[in-house]
Amino acid sequence: MAKMGGNRTLKRYSAPSWWPVRRKESAWVVKPSPGPYSSSTSLPLLLVLRDLMGITRNLHETRTILNESKIMVNGKVVRRPDFPIGVMDILSIPDMGAHYRVLPYNGSLAAHRIQDSELFRLLRVENKTIVKGLKLQLNLSGGVNMLLDLKDPQDAKNNVYGTLDSLKTDLRGKQILDHLKLDLGSYVLVISGKNSGSHGVLQEIVPAFKRRKSLVRIKASDGGIIETILDYVYVVGREEPIITFQGVE
């Protein structure tokens, strides 16, 4: 009989290098389940609660609090320790009245505590298409899709959402609250590469054959210049960020 599906197990030495796990402590580590992120760009919820946040000490404690519905991800109760967590996800612990935004930090991910005023999501427009009924479908980061009923999606005046723009939405990703265009002067966050976690004002875009591979230059918050590719930037504000960052209160 043929093997069905992919490998459900993951050895620690095969885990992505940026995962916060000790390679020689034991043989196995929880593998993120299929979901909105790939295993190379996400962390299983177990590692976020145990290794990043220090809320639990082991898998048993993690399963206990998850089974008691004490953890919410993007406004929805999650009970699976292998649930994938990625950049810009919102973790909530209602019993503590605490909320955290997952952000890139020092080449890995970090859970940054936020105030109630920041209880929204920033989703990047990965691509878009016109579907049956002349509706515009926006395919967003985090596995979110939106269908917009526009009079004429092919009219540039109606189709204002560009690829790699960011949308400020409610926690469930159902309602658009604001639209942040990717443009010179926008405040952006680097989400991958050696400059992951850096942020600043987008100053220059050097076009390439493939748009996502275009070279960009960013004036960082410390005054330095960062060079990366367009695919690695995430719009988080116009002239100033609308979110707070790790270590910034």
Side-chain angles (χ1 to χ4, degrees), residues 128 130 136 150-161:
K128 55 185 180 177
I130 297 175
L136 178 66
L150 303 178
K151 294 181 180 179
D152 185 3
Q154 295 178 328
D155 187 346
K157 294 181 180 179
N158 292 327
N159 191 357
V160 297
Y161 303 107

Side-chain angles (χ1 to χ4, degrees), residues 8-246:
R8 296 183 181 181
T9 61
L10 180 64
K11 288 193 173 182
R12 288 191 173 224
Y13 69 79
S14 299
S17 59
W18 57 272
W19 278 23
V21 294
R22 297 178 181 177
R23 306 287 160 168
K24 298 182 179 181
E25 189 172 84
S26 62
W28 304 96
V29 66
V30 172
K31 182 179 181 180
S33 60
Y37 306 99
S38 67
S39 59
S40 62
T41 60
S42 64
L43 279 174
L45 183 55
L46 166 66
L47 296 189
V48 175
L49 296 176
R50 184 188 66 191
D51 299 271
L52 285 188
M53 303 173 67
I55 293 177
T56 61
R57 294 174 294 179
N58 48 52
L59 178 58
H60 175 73
E61 290 184 359
T62 304
R63 281 177 171 161
T64 299
I65 66 171
L66 292 180
N67 289 335
E68 293 176 355
S69 304
K70 292 186 176 181
I71 302 296
M72 302 180 73
V73 178
N74 300 323
K76 185 177 180 179
V77 172
V78 174
R79 297 185 177 88
R80 289 164 31 210
D82 61 350
F83 186 85
I85 303 296
V87 172
M88 294 296 172
D89 278 345
I90 303 292
L91 274 68
S92 301
I93 309 176
D95 288 353
M96 297 172 53
H99 307 281
Y100 301 84
R101 187 186 304 277
V102 178
L103 296 171
Y105 184 67
N106 284 347
S108 183
L109 295 179
H112 172 53
R113 187 160 184 171
I114 60 175
Q115 302 298 321
D116 290 349
S117 58
E118 280 193 65
L119 283 180
F120 57 81
R121 296 183 72 185
L122 278 181
L123 301 174
R124 191 171 75 167
V125 180
E126 299 298 338
N127 55 67
K128 55 185 180 177
T129 185
I130 297 175
V131 298
K132 185 177 180 180
L134 284 181
K135 293 185 177 181
L136 178 66
Q137 177 175 302
L138 299 179
N139 302 315
L140 310 176
S141 57
V144 177
N145 294 327
M146 285 188 177
L147 276 179
L148 304 180
D149 190 6
L150 303 178
K151 294 181 180 179
D152 185 3
Q154 295 178 328
D155 187 346
K157 294 181 180 179
N158 292 327
N159 191 357
V160 297
Y161 303 107
T163 304
L164 302 184
D165 289 356
S166 289
L167 301 181
K168 176 183 176 182
T169 73
D170 61 342
L171 287 182
R172 302 299 294 273
K174 301 296 184 181
Q175 181 181 2
I176 298 176
L177 305 177
D178 199 1
H179 174 208
L180 304 175
K181 291 189 67 65
L182 174 65
D183 205 350
L184 297 182
S186 298
Y187 204 95
V188 298
L189 170 68
V190 181
I191 61 172
S192 188
K194 66 179 182 179
N195 295 306
S196 176
S198 301
H199 49 89
V201 178
L202 181 60
Q203 288 196 322
E204 184 180 4
I205 301 177
V206 181
F209 179 71
K210 292 185 177 181
R211 179 171 179 257
R212 288 176 179 262
K213 299 297 183 182
S214 299
L215 175 69
V216 299
R217 294 187 175 92
I218 302 166
K219 185 176 182 180
S221 54
D222 60 4
I225 299 297
I226 299 170
E227 290 188 349
T228 186
I229 61 174
L230 192 61
D231 195 33
Y232 289 172
V233 301
Y234 206 112
V235 183
V236 295
R238 293 184 175 89
E239 297 178 356
E240 296 291 336
I242 63 174
I243 62 173
T244 54
F245 297 100
Q246 186 74 13

